[in-house]
Amino acid sequence: MSESSDVESQVTAGVPPLRPAERELLAVFDRLAPQGSVRWAFEDAMARLDREHGTPPWAGLPPDLWERGRGAQVGQRLVGDVVVALADVLAGDARRVAEEGVDVRLRAAWDALRYLAARVETLEARIDPGGQAVPDLASMVPHPDLGPLLEEVGDWLPLSDPHGTVLDGECGDGALSAALARGGSAVHGVDPRPRTAWTVLDARAVSGLPTVPTVPTTVTCAEVVDVLDAGAPASLAGVVLRGCVDRADLPGKVRLAGAVARTLVAGGAVAVVTMDRRSFEDRCPAGVRELLPGTPIAPEAWSLLLERTGYEVLGTRTAGSTHVVTARRQR
Amino acid sequence: MSGAGGPGVHQLVPMLHRRDAVGEHVLAIQSLLAGAGVPSRIYVDRADPETAALTRPYRAYEDDAVPGDVLVYQFATGSEIAGWLLGRSEPLVVNYHGVTPPDHFTAWNNSIVRLQAACLAQLTLLAPRSALGIATSMMTARELEATGYRRTTVVPVLAASRRLGEPDAAMLADLRTTDGDGVRTWLSVGRLAPNKAHHQVVAALFAHHMGGGHPTRFLIVGAPTEPHYASALQRYAALLGLSGAVRLLSGLSDRELAACYEVADVLVLVSDHEGFGVPLVEAMRQRVPVVAFDAGAVAESLGGAGVLVGDKRPSSLAATIDSVVGDRDRTARLVEAGTARVTALEAQRADRAILAALGTVTAVTPGAAMLPGGGPPVAAGSVDWDG
């Protein structure tokens, strides 16, 4: 056509598949889509009540409701606001149904209510401080260094099934994942730090970055608790928790312990790798520290927490400022 | 030529938005019709407060109708107007801008999925009722024909010939202040909606930074029409540690948009569906090189005057963009090619073409307003889109 036609056409006949790091990078975005969330489903249910039946369109819940609903102790208020909104619709419907003998809208409204009732538990679970964390904060927080304990993982993480799946959260540079894999485990690495996950997955492809061990694992770039929540019950032989346990506040720590218990097989092992609080505070920039929901707790406190949430505590190891508290899910 | 009270050519559109390809197209047609002395009003399903003074509710047309009127339905999304039009007797022109396939919205907004699915059904329903289908590209013309429209023609959206004006000085200063020395700027223009795939450019920017690429920022100009997507986009940038490098801008005036083009090193458009791609033409007119994903009517609109990619894997897309902005000679070649493309598009005189197309309908409608250029019915693709 024009003189430009030979300039620039790079349409490729066949596009190579995504590299693992790229696939995970895009998956991070896909996981932000609201489908299946309480908000998405509720708004959809309300939208079905609109228009075609001649009433004013559903204008949506108050714009700040969902943000308010994410704070602690506001679950009841959120549900209350939703129920009030539904009640308004139902009151109008009742009149209309009586007048017209049409039950379409009423059925849709009841669908919405039933859905809401079924999801209240999920709703409450979603109202967690973790959801309010400052984005990418994990990248600015010190992570415990296993040091000599790294190669002794087979000793401090006693797996009843040596070939079972171990969740390594947060896997960092993948060194522990590699050690676990060498011991025969299938390893699922999880890390919320996109740059870390990218580096681990793409070590060979990215020039100029430090060499990292070749890790035969799946790596998911997400918060550990979210991956545990989405995991199948009794599916893991072992779980290692690092980083997330030091940043989470106390309810977050309890929630992590509960989420691990749900996903471990009977007799499965959990290791909580935590930093000495003083060392953590020394290494954590002051500004970052103030943004964190929580700080490390003593290994004795972890032992008590795990015991009270149904684990058999096996012991604590210490190397420098790092403590590893190991426990087993009771059979 | 009809007087103000005589039969006219009236447009219907679900909502009339400023700074929107369809909205600006509607306003440009109204202006053209007014210039030709033809009465022309705009009717809407829902009023946009910003343009409410320019529109009337579509039901009001029932009282406004004059024998000999022609109705032009601007079709880009579903609306009650379609069903209402089936019951009208006036000659109908469907000006089709393309419908985003519903599956793009599945994970984001089920209401839009239903709306888009209904929209495609409405397009089919209106086919036998339409005297003419005007498509914005050959691609959308093929969609019309496949849907049963017997007479179609292609006329580019008039918004594509819009001049943005001089860059807004305050905006330019702001963009330059926040632009550190030597920082390059990627620009995307388009609604914040899933089919626009802005997040894939954010991912490419991340890959670019991870690969040790030149310091770069990414400006996204577009209305947050799918709020869930817009919010996810912002959070995605934050999660990737790119909050400072990704800037979302909306509600810009034409001159503020011109300022964005002024500072841009490249326009990156990776939509999964485009019925025309107005930003492609804007960028070429503003002398900004284009890297675009080959989807919908993009190749057709670009006409070879940009880098058309079939691969938008993050690293690959980043490398392609880099190969443009890091090569002055290549940039210069692309800019010149873009300028030539715009000249070719302008030579086609979309304004005359659309009046001529409408004229074919008014000419065969007894008592209808006569338009300049009215004549025998046009055949499919009668506008020389390929230049």
Side-chain angles (χ1 to χ4, degrees), chain A residues 13-258:
Chain A
V15 177
L18 288 164
R19 299 201 312 266
E22 293 179 310
R23 192 181 308 116
E24 191 51 34
L25 175 62
L26 294 171
V28 170
F29 183 78
D30 291 341
R31 286 194 282 270
L32 297 174
Q35 187 178 36
S37 70
V38 174
R39 177 182 190 165
W40 185 89
F42 182 74
E43 289 185 344
D44 183 49
M46 296 308 291
R48 285 194 287 139
L49 302 174
D50 286 351
R51 291 305 297 263
E52 58 198 273
H53 306 293
T55 56
W58 166 247
L61 293 166
D64 64 339
L65 183 61
W66 295 95
E67 292 312 312
R68 286 194 283 130
R70 293 175 72 95
Q73 299 178 17
V74 293
Q76 289 179 334
R77 199 171 70 205
L78 172 65
V79 174
D81 285 346
V82 169
V83 170
V84 167
L86 269 174
D88 287 345
V89 174
L90 287 171
D93 275 351
R95 284 193 299 275
R96 185 171 304 277
V97 169
E99 288 166 10
E100 300 176 9
V102 178
D103 65 351
V104 174
R105 285 171 56 79
L106 193 60
R107 277 205 307 269
W110 279 110
D111 282 348
L113 270 180
R114 275 199 297 271
Y115 183 87
L116 188 66
R119 295 299 295 270
V120 164
E121 190 178 338
T122 311
L123 176 69
E124 296 290 347
R126 282 173 181 272
I127 300 168
D128 70 302
Q132 284 293 285
V134 177
D136 203 28
L137 199 59
S139 298
M140 294 176 265
V141 177
H143 275 59
D145 178 11
L146 281 164
L149 294 174
L150 181 68
E151 292 305 325
E152 299 168 13
V153 60
D155 298 335
W156 50 261
L157 190 68
L159 297 170
S160 53
D161 175 6
H163 301 296
T165 300
V166 177
L167 187 143
D168 181 7
E170 299 167 351
C171 64
D173 67 4
L176 179 63
S177 294
L180 287 163
R182 284 196 294 274
S185 297
V187 185
H188 180 182
V190 179
D191 204 296
R193 297 165 291 180
R195 285 166 189 267
T196 303
W198 175 279
T199 305
V200 171
L201 284 166
D202 213 29
R204 281 178 299 179
V206 181
S207 61
L209 289 169
T211 304
V212 298
T214 302
V215 186
T217 61
T218 302
V219 176
T220 301
C221 183
E223 291 291 344
V224 173
V225 71
D226 289 337
V227 174
L228 289 168
D229 279 348
S235 57
L236 298 173
V239 173
V240 178
L241 299 174
R242 274 186 293 175
C244 52
V245 285
D246 288 341
R247 295 193 308 277
D249 63 2
L250 190 55
K253 289 176 169 69
V254 174
R255 188 179 160 204
L256 271 166

Side-chain angles (χ1 to χ4, degrees), chain B residues 12-386:
Chain B
L12 300 108
V13 62
M15 284 184 86
L16 181 71
H17 302 298
R18 285 279 190 192
R19 300 175 296 280
D20 167 75
V22 177
E24 296 294 343
H25 180 72
V26 169
L27 291 167
I29 290 178
Q30 186 185 43
S31 172
L32 284 172
L33 290 166
V38 177
S40 177
R41 287 184 293 273
I42 299 168
Y43 294 90
V44 295
D45 184 1
R46 297 188 190 189
D48 176 337
E50 192 180 358
T51 60
L54 305 174
T55 63
R56 285 169 63 73
Y58 74 92
R59 292 270 183 190
Y61 177 75
E62 292 168 5
D63 296 327
D64 298 345
V66 171
D69 277 351
V70 170
L71 300 181
V72 180
Y73 183 35
Q74 299 291 344
F75 199 114
T77 185
S79 161
E80 286 182 356
I81 292 176
W84 175 83
L85 280 169
L86 289 173
R88 300 298 307 177
S89 58
E90 291 81 7
L92 174 67
V93 175
V94 171
N95 194 168
Y96 180 56
H97 298 259
V99 171
T100 307
D103 54 343
H104 287 295
F105 293 92
T106 304
W108 299 93
N109 192 324
N110 218 17
S111 300
I112 295 182
V113 173
R114 283 195 299 273
L115 186 70
Q116 296 300 90
C119 180
L120 292 169
Q122 290 174 351
L123 188 67
T124 306
L125 282 173
L126 288 173
R129 173 71 186 78
S130 303
L132 175 67
I134 300 177
T136 54
S137 63
M138 291 302 290
M139 182 205 78
T140 50
R142 283 192 292 273
E143 287 180 12
L144 280 181
E145 286 155 14
T147 315
Y149 286 75
R150 289 182 302 257
R151 287 182 56 222
T152 63
T153 189
V154 177
V155 181
V157 285
L158 296 179
S161 51
R162 189 171 49 120
R163 300 293 198 276
L164 297 179
E166 286 298 308
D168 179 81
M171 186 77 185
L172 203 51
D174 172 51
L175 291 170
R176 284 183 171 150
T177 303
T178 54
D179 178 8
D181 283 345
V183 172
R184 291 176 182 159
T185 301
W186 300 356
L187 172 68
S188 276
V189 179
R191 290 176 293 110
L192 305 188
N195 58 301
K196 300 293 182 184
H198 298 296
H199 64 282
Q200 291 177 326
V201 186
V202 174
L205 182 65
F206 179 84
H208 170 83
H209 282 174
M210 289 304 291
H214 192 95
T216 300
R217 68 174 168 177
F218 177 33
L219 299 181
I220 308 175
V221 180
T225 54
E226 205 327 277
H228 293 310
Y229 180 82
S231 137
L233 193 61
Q234 203 145 27
R235 183 151 181 84
Y236 189 44
L239 285 170
L240 299 183
L242 294 174
S243 295
V246 176
R247 190 166 170 192
L248 275 59
L249 300 161
S250 65
L252 301 191
S253 68
D254 284 356
R255 292 185 56 207
E256 287 170 331
L257 177 58
C260 293
Y261 281 113
E262 179 74 16
V263 300
D265 292 291
V266 62
L267 176 83
V268 185
L269 193 84
V270 295
S271 299
D272 290 311
H273 183 271
E274 280 290 344
F276 179 81
V278 171
L280 299 169
V281 182
E282 283 176 351
M284 290 190 284
R285 183 176 286 115
Q286 301 297 127
R287 301 183 64 78
V288 175
V290 174
V291 173
F293 180 60
D294 184 18
V298 166
E300 195 181 331
S301 299
L302 207 50
V307 179
L308 197 61
V309 298
D311 175 5
K312 51 179 174 175
R313 291 173 305 147
S315 301
S316 169
L317 181 60
T320 302
I321 298 168
D322 254 357
S323 73
V324 171
V325 298
D327 182 341
R328 287 186 180 183
D329 291 341
R330 194 176 190 202
T331 294
R333 284 204 308 278
L334 284 167
V335 166
E336 290 316 308
T339 303
R341 176 62 181 155
V342 170
T343 304
L345 284 173
E346 286 175 346
Q348 292 176 19
R349 294 301 305 265
D351 52 349
R352 288 184 191 166
I354 201 146
L355 286 182
L358 293 173
T360 65
V361 177
T362 59
V364 296
T365 306
M370 283 299 296
L371 284 164
V378 286
S382 66
V383 172
D384 181 17
W385 172 238
D386 285 331

